[in-house]
Amino acid sequence: MGILIGIVVLFVVGLVFVYGVAGWLGFGLYLSESKAHQKAEESAPAILDEAFVGDDVVFKINPRSPKYETVVLGAKSRGYRLMNETQDTAGGSARTLIFEKAN
């Protein structure tokens, strides 16, 4: 009986440990993406200047890119209009935007 209780306790402690490690890894990933997103926002003009060349432009929005609003307004100021968009994830955190050069 004592061995069974020890195994159950070991299992519960192991489970708590695994969830704790997973939580810290998730938090680290969140911080990493947050920093990458902030850096992308700061360098958005250069990113958009490089992306918006030609008649049709496909731009992917994700947690490491400038915000949706920044991209759409930046495209408009560069003479492009949003023609289509698709949500690549259920939560909308990843999108594909298709722009066309306005006449």
Side-chain angles (χ1 to χ4, degrees):
M1 185 72 172
I3 293 176
L4 183 61
I5 292 175
I7 291 173
V8 170
V9 168
L10 185 62
F11 178 75
V12 169
V13 168
L15 205 62
V16 169
F17 176 76
V18 167
Y19 278 106
V21 169
W24 281 107
L25 288 175
F27 184 66
L29 180 63
Y30 169 76
L31 288 179
S32 171
E33 286 185 351
S34 179
K35 280 186 176 184
H37 183 71
Q38 183 180 7
K39 185 177 178 182
E41 275 295 310
E42 291 170 357
S43 57
I47 292 170
L48 297 177
D49 284 342
E50 185 177 320
F52 285 92
V53 177
D55 292 333
D56 295 327
V57 174
V58 176
F59 196 94
K60 297 217 179 247
I61 301 287
N62 59 51
R64 294 179 176 263
S65 70
K67 293 187 299 190
Y68 174 85
E69 294 81 11
T70 302
V71 173
V72 172
L73 292 175
K76 185 176 180 182
S77 70
R78 288 167 176 79
Y80 289 82
R81 65 175 175 233
L82 181 62
M83 295 304 295
N84 193 13
E85 73 177 86
T86 59
Q87 290 194 7
D88 300 338
T89 59
S93 63
R95 297 179 183 179
T96 300
L97 308 178
I98 301 172
F99 294 91
E100 177 181 76
K101 186 81 168 166
N103 295 331

